[in-house]
Amino acid sequence: MKQSVLIIFLLGIGGFCEKAWGRPAENEGEEDDLMFNDGDDDVDDESEAPRILSRGENITTEPGHSIRLPCDIENVENAVVQWRRNFSTPIFFDGSKQLEEPRYTLTKSFTLDIHNVSSLDEYPFTCQLVGEDDQTITYFITVKEKEITESGERRDQGMPRVIRILPEKSKTLKKGELQTISCEVNGDPTPMISWTHKGNPLKQFNGKNRITIEGVTRNDTGKYVCTATNPNGQDSRSTELQVVYPPEIKMTDEAIIVGVGYESEIICTVYSHPQAQVTWQKGDEELVPTHRITMETDGHDHYLRISGTTKSDYGFYTCIAINNLGESKKSVELSGKPGKPVFENSSYSEDSISSPLLTWNVKSFKPIEEFEVLYKKQHVDDWVTAPLGEGTKHETFGIIYKYSQIFKDLEAGAYNAKVRAKNTYGWSDYSDVYTFAGNDIGRAMQSKLLEAASTDENNGVSSLEISRISLVFLLSLLIAHRLQ
């Protein structure tokens, strides 16, 4: 029994040894075929691996030129490509831009284009296949300034260059946004930077390489030009800003004065981007064109005209402007009341050399019925009504009424005055506050001398008259000094 077990065990070992030491099996040839096919597969995989076909080189160029750095790749569909500057700074990774430099662009075939080359581009640029082999090619860039010719006709050595201006392309902003415009230059000696906006010099930014606008408005729209200048020449580049904003309206704040039967015209100036739609209202009623009412547009100006104005046309008119960013409106009164009086230069009365004489005029299509003149000493709160009648004169020139008023017994010092007028349609607005001098003998005499000199030039007044006024002036000063 023991002998039988031993025989079986030895037979098992023998079979194992045959397999372990290479005795051919019945299907061993088929296995060899499979192994050969696997080898074929490996060869095919190697033939499909990406490979850089381009060769790096040394490139010499001049400032302002553009250069192309090819990186042609076989089996590019399997490639992950990276461009670097100076061996360390990523520029592009698998087609995605890593460095914010607008002068660097990449084609679909992984060629790196460098535009407007300058000395700042004197780096090695490497194209690398990212993988086990990390295949790499390198371009070495040299930027060489042109030399001065023997005749001296050209002098490009050290020429100023505006390398770039940011934003590089036209940029659209919303009103109120912050915007910085920067300009990078080089040259030898270092160029001086100057700026213009829409052709106008921006002297406050001369010598600075950037403009910062805290909150853009419509006035910031337009072309900005950066100019670099040194003794060797000049170079410029430009960029442009567009600002979008809701409508802004400009219209007079004063009532528009017109007579019955005359043509009325209201002007509404609208600034907006995008363009606004403009409509008109009288009170709460929207106006439409009729045989008497016309609406016209000329650039930013919108006109509302009413022919043969009647009393019923008087009232408040509103200009409404709307775009997709907002709405703006402004109103003005069309009126038969007098216009806002306007003061002329003050002088001094012929009757009393130290009494100031104030003159004003007012527009009115109806006769002036009444004036109200208020005055006060400067830095005093209460206004005083000037008595009219004595010392008041008036003249009429068509629809312009001219009045003057003498102010007697005023103390020395500065005074304020304002006036309003009334006709059958009511009171006008008060005039702007006018400042004049009170009882001031010195200033009065100076005024008389100037008037006499002017009359002498125009009407031949004798020098004796001027001398007489001068003598009175000196005596007045002496008396005033003795009374102090």
Side-chain angles (χ1 to χ4, degrees):
M1 181 67 178
K2 292 182 179 179
Q3 291 178 348
S4 300
V5 172
L6 180 60
I7 292 171
I8 293 171
F9 175 75
L10 292 174
L11 288 173
I13 291 176
F16 171 78
C17 290
E18 287 179 354
K19 296 211 179 236
W21 296 107
R23 173 178 286 186
E26 292 181 2
N27 60 349
E28 187 172 353
E30 295 178 6
E31 290 177 354
D32 288 345
D33 289 341
L34 290 175
M35 291 176 66
F36 180 80
N37 289 339
D38 288 342
D40 285 347
D41 291 342
D42 292 341
V43 171
D44 290 342
D45 288 343
E46 289 178 2
S47 66
E48 294 178 1
R51 181 165 60 96
I52 298 178
L53 303 178
S54 301
R55 295 177 178 273
E57 58 180 303
N58 297 325
I59 296 178
T60 300
T61 186
E62 296 174 356
H65 289 195
S66 294
I67 57 175
R68 308 202 80 184
L69 310 182
C71 188
D72 296 328
I73 299 173
E74 186 179 53
N75 299 321
V76 68
E77 62 275 5
N78 298 325
V80 176
V81 182
Q82 178 170 253
W83 274 97
R84 289 180 179 270
R85 185 178 71 181
N86 202 24
F87 301 110
S88 60
T89 304
I91 305 175
F92 288 93
F93 183 84
D94 200 25
S96 177
K97 196 166 190 177
Q98 307 295 306
L99 180 66
E100 288 301 323
E101 172 52 80
R103 297 182 301 111
Y104 297 166
T105 58
L106 192 68
T107 69
K108 291 182 179 179
S109 61
F110 294 102
T111 293
L112 177 65
D113 288 336
I114 304 178
H115 306 279
N116 196 24
V117 172
S118 75
S119 59
L120 298 179
D121 298 310
E122 291 188 313
Y123 291 107
F125 289 82
T126 57
C127 177
Q128 177 185 16
L129 282 179
V130 179
E132 294 182 2
D133 295 337
D134 282 345
Q135 300 176 51
T136 301
I137 61 170
T138 302
Y139 291 92
F140 294 90
I141 310 301
T142 301
V143 181
K144 186 176 181 181
E145 301 278 356
K146 293 181 180 178
E147 299 293 339
I148 304 173
T149 62
E150 293 181 1
S151 63
E153 293 178 356
R154 300 187 64 184
R155 189 181 180 189
D156 291 338
Q157 182 72 29
M159 279 284 291
R161 298 288 179 185
V162 179
I163 300 168
R164 63 175 175 174
I165 186 170
L166 296 177
E168 190 175 40
K169 298 180 181 178
S170 177
K171 186 172 182 180
T172 299
L173 303 143
K174 287 186 177 180
K175 179 182 176 181
E177 288 186 333
L178 174 73
Q179 178 60 43
T180 297
I181 303 171
S182 61
C183 180
E184 185 177 342
V185 305
N186 70 357
D188 186 20
T190 302
M192 170 63 73
I193 294 175
S194 60
W195 295 89
T196 62
H197 175 222
K198 292 188 286 191
N200 299 315
L202 297 176
K203 294 182 179 179
Q204 67 273 32
F205 295 107
N206 282 352
K208 300 179 181 179
N209 67 347
R210 65 181 58 228
I211 297 173
T212 299
I213 307 171
E214 295 292 342
V216 296
T217 69
R218 61 180 175 86
N219 297 320
D220 298 311
T221 295
K223 181 182 288 186
Y224 291 80
V225 178
C226 171
T227 300
T229 306
N230 72 9
N232 299 319
Q234 192 174 82
D235 188 31
S236 298
R237 297 192 81 175
S238 66
T239 188
E240 191 165 357
L241 298 184
Q242 294 292 333
V243 180
V244 293
Y245 55 96
E248 299 174 7
I249 291 179
K250 284 189 175 182
M251 196 159 59
T252 180
D253 294 321
E254 299 179 8
I256 297 174
I257 308 305
V258 67
V260 172
Y262 288 80
E263 180 184 83
S264 301
E265 181 181 78
I266 304 175
I267 304 174
C268 177
T269 302
V270 178
Y271 299 96
S272 66
H273 188 62
Q275 186 174 352
Q277 180 181 359
V278 176
T279 57
W280 292 89
Q281 287 183 351
K282 184 190 177 191
D284 296 328
E285 180 182 352
E286 184 174 342
L287 295 175
V288 295
T290 67
H291 67 285
R292 287 200 315 118
I293 299 176
T294 59
M295 302 171 189
E296 298 178 4
T297 300
D298 182 9
H300 297 292
D301 295 329
H302 300 262
Y303 297 88
L304 175 65
R305 295 188 177 97
I306 305 172
S307 62
T309 303
T310 65
K311 291 181 181 179
S312 62
D313 293 320
Y314 292 147
F316 284 88
Y317 290 79
T318 304
C319 174
I320 304 171
I322 302 174
N323 69 8
N324 59 4
L325 296 176
E327 173 182 335
S328 183
K329 60 177 64 177
K330 192 168 184 180
S331 299
V332 66
E333 183 182 10
L334 189 67
S335 174
K337 297 182 295 187
K340 185 177 177 180
V342 177
F343 278 101
E344 297 180 356
N345 291 333
S346 61
S347 59
Y348 288 88
S349 168
E350 295 179 359
D351 301 331
S352 176
I353 198 169
S354 61
S355 296
L357 175 68
L358 268 58
T359 303
W360 64 90
N361 60 67
V362 61
K363 176 182 177 181
S364 178
F365 286 88
K366 290 289 186 179
I368 298 297
E369 299 176 352
E370 186 178 353
F371 275 106
E372 181 184 51
V373 181
L374 303 178
Y375 72 100
K376 69 182 182 70
K377 202 165 187 180
Q378 262 190 347
H379 311 303
V380 174
D381 293 334
D382 296 331
W383 290 90
V384 178
T385 302
L388 300 181
E390 183 183 356
T392 304
K393 301 178 182 180
H394 73 274
E395 299 175 85
T396 303
F397 304 92
I399 61 172
I400 303 298
Y401 294 79
K402 185 174 182 178
Y403 284 74
S404 58
Q405 172 74 25
I406 297 175
F407 288 80
K408 295 183 177 181
D409 303 324
L410 294 182
E411 298 176 357
Y415 285 79
N416 290 337
K418 61 181 180 179
V419 59
R420 63 175 179 163
K422 180 182 179 183
N423 67 11
T424 187
Y425 289 108
W427 285 99
S428 72
D429 293 332
Y430 277 107
S431 68
D432 294 335
V433 173
Y434 183 74
T435 302
F436 66 102
N439 189 339
D440 189 337
I441 294 177
R443 186 173 297 184
M445 291 303 302
Q446 183 182 20
S447 175
K448 288 297 181 183
L449 284 170
L450 291 174
E451 288 179 15
S454 176
T455 305
D456 184 27
E457 292 177 0
N458 297 320
N459 300 322
V461 175
S462 67
S463 298
L464 181 61
E465 179 66 16
I466 297 178
S467 299
R468 186 183 67 82
I469 296 173
S470 300
L471 180 60
V472 174
F473 176 47
L474 292 173
L475 290 173
S476 300
L477 290 177
L478 181 59
I479 293 170
H481 179 71
R482 295 292 295 273
L483 292 175
Q484 288 180 349

